[in-house]
């Protein structure tokens, strides 16, 4: 009996989800009547708009200038939106909330210096890559360490941005889980390093270089200590129409040189 009830419950839940999916489907059809302009075929959150989710505390890929978000990702996505005949809207949020915002239809895509990794590919689809990066170690200049290898097994406290590959992939190769300190953004992690609350910071190479520039002689970098990572744009799982369109746009802006112009504008 118990088994049957459980089976029924599962069945009911499944039909509910099916009904919900159908309802959402028809809703979207209404919102995006099947014409081929203005992004109608891309299953967008809001017709005519391309809503990019990011965490604008990651220079030079995204950061605030006054109240607007600028940087490589904003520049590239602006070009992509134009190719698709859409208006770009940027939503700034914490880095770790991006996947949920995507799945929950608050945004159409994630552009955030976002690294392709297998765990993420389970819940979202990635475009072709557009940038190669590496996790980089930031230390105070007076630190004696000269490699990641030397830092292993020393019980060092390592500051990272929460939810990043620096936190989940790079830092655990150097220290125990308990010694990894998550911050809302890289700048806060760097402050903690300067005030001695952590012994090192691990973050992607481009922001690492920005922080080094900001703090002059106080910081030093250990580069090329970790594997390469590839940045790509993430769309909702199964949104093949948007994925294909963004990939085509990326190819076009790479071919016509406008992609490289944006990169050169923001990356030294
Ligand atoms: N590349 C790293 C990752 O994907 C860090 C990205 C952080 N991006 C940001 N906009 N804060 O996990």
């Amino acid at each position: 009996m118990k088994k049957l009830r459980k089976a029924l419950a599962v069945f009911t839940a499944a039909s509910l989800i099916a009904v919900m999916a159908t309802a959402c489907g028809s809703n979207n059809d209404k919102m995006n009547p099947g014409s081929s302009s203005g992004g109608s075929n891309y299953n967008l959150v809001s017709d005519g708009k391309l809503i990019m989710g990011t965490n604008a505390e990651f220079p030079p890929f995204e950061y605030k200038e006054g109240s607007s978000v600028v940087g490589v990702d904003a520049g590239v996505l602006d070009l992509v939106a134009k190719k698709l005949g859409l208006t770009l809207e940027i939503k700034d949020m914490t880095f770790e909330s991006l996947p949920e915002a995507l799945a929950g239809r608050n945004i159409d895509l994630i552009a955030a210096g976002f690294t392709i990794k297998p765990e993420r590919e389970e819940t979202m689809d990635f475009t072709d890559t557009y940038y190669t990066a590496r996790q980089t170690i930031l230390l105070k200049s007076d630190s004696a360490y000269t490699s990641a290898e030397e830092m292993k097994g020393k019980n060092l406290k390592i500051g990272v941005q929460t939810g990043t590959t620096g936190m989940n992939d790079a830092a655990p190769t150097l220290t125990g889980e308990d010694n990894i300190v998550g911050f809302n953004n890289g700048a806060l992690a760097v402050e903690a390093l300067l005030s001695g609350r952590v012994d090192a910071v691990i973050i992607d190479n481009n922001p690492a270089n920005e922080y080094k520039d900001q703090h002059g002689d106080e910081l030093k970098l250990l580069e090329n200590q970790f594997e390469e990572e590839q940045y790509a744009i993430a769309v909702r799982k199964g949104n093949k129409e948007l994925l294909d369109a963004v990939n085509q746009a990326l190819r076009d802006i790479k071919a016509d040189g406008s992609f490289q112009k944006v990169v050169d504008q923001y990356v030294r």
Side-chain angles (χ1 to χ4, degrees):
M1 188 57 205
K2 233 186 179 172
K3 238 187 190 166
L4 180 67
R5 218 183 297 147
K6 206 171 177 189
L8 263 175
V10 169
F11 176 76
T12 316
S15 11
L16 201 72
I17 288 167
V19 168
M20 271 162 57
T22 321
C24 288
S26 59
N27 202 3
N28 288 336
D29 291 347
K30 249 177 255 148
M31 275 183 352
N32 301 327
S35 91
S36 60
S37 64
S40 302
N41 293 330
Y42 306 140
N43 195 2
L44 300 167
V45 170
S46 171
D47 212 13
K49 270 198 232 168
L50 186 64
I51 307 181
M52 157 183 156
T54 198
N55 165 251
E57 322 220 41
F58 194 71
F61 283 86
E62 39 268 334
Y63 57 99
K64 292 253 185 67
E65 227 167 58
S67 61
S68 44
V69 175
V70 296
V72 175
D73 288 321
V76 167
L77 266 293
D78 199 45
L79 294 172
V80 168
K82 287 206 175 85
K83 289 273 176 204
L84 272 52
L86 299 168
T87 310
L88 181 68
E89 182 182 315
I90 301 181
K91 284 194 185 170
D92 182 24
M93 58 190 82
T94 62
F95 181 74
E96 41 170 354
S97 62
L98 286 167
E100 217 177 281
L102 183 64
R105 291 189 68 88
N106 284 324
I107 55 176
D108 293 306
L109 42 77
I110 298 173
F114 200 43
T115 303
I116 306 178
K117 50 182 256 167
E119 293 91 320
R120 290 175 180 168
E121 284 180 308
E122 284 170 17
T123 57
M124 50 193 121
D125 288 336
F126 283 93
T127 63
D128 299 337
T129 74
Y130 64 92
Y131 204 84
T132 301
R134 264 181 215 268
Q135 295 305 307
T136 294
I137 301 172
L138 276 159
L139 295 166
K140 286 224 249 187
S141 339
D142 57 7
S143 162
Y145 293 114
T146 61
S147 74
E149 208 47 47
E150 293 168 13
M151 295 170 67
K152 288 185 182 169
K154 302 269 161 54
N155 254 348
L156 298 177
K157 278 220 175 329
I158 300 190
V160 292
Q161 184 179 20
T162 305
T164 60
T165 47
M167 169 169 171
N168 296 313
D169 303 324
T173 66
L174 302 191
T175 197
E177 296 270 304
D178 293 352
N179 282 325
I180 300 172
V181 189
F183 294 89
N184 255 340
N185 58 62
L188 290 173
V190 168
E191 264 174 44
L193 174 62
L194 291 169
S195 66
R197 281 174 288 142
V198 297
D199 302 302
V201 166
I202 299 185
I203 193 161
D204 305 44
N205 55 312
N206 289 99
N209 271 291
E210 297 271 340
Y211 294 130
K212 161 116 178 61
D213 283 357
Q214 282 169 25
H215 296 280
D217 299 340
E218 289 175 280
L219 296 174
K220 71 171 184 181
L221 301 180
L222 299 183
E223 296 182 285
N224 301 321
Q225 304 294 303
F226 299 99
E227 305 259 290
E228 275 183 7
E229 299 182 6
Q230 300 297 330
Y231 292 169
I233 296 155
V235 303
R236 236 180 320 286
K237 189 119 196 111
N239 191 353
K240 187 165 184 329
E241 293 75 15
L242 184 59
L243 188 73
D244 290 347
V246 173
N247 272 333
Q248 186 56 53
L250 281 177
R251 281 195 288 275
D252 291 347
I253 63 173
K254 280 178 187 169
D256 70 15
S258 54
F259 171 86
Q260 195 54 45
K261 260 204 193 127
V262 170
V263 173
D264 293 342
Q265 182 185 348
Y266 292 106
V267 179
R268 300 157 301 123

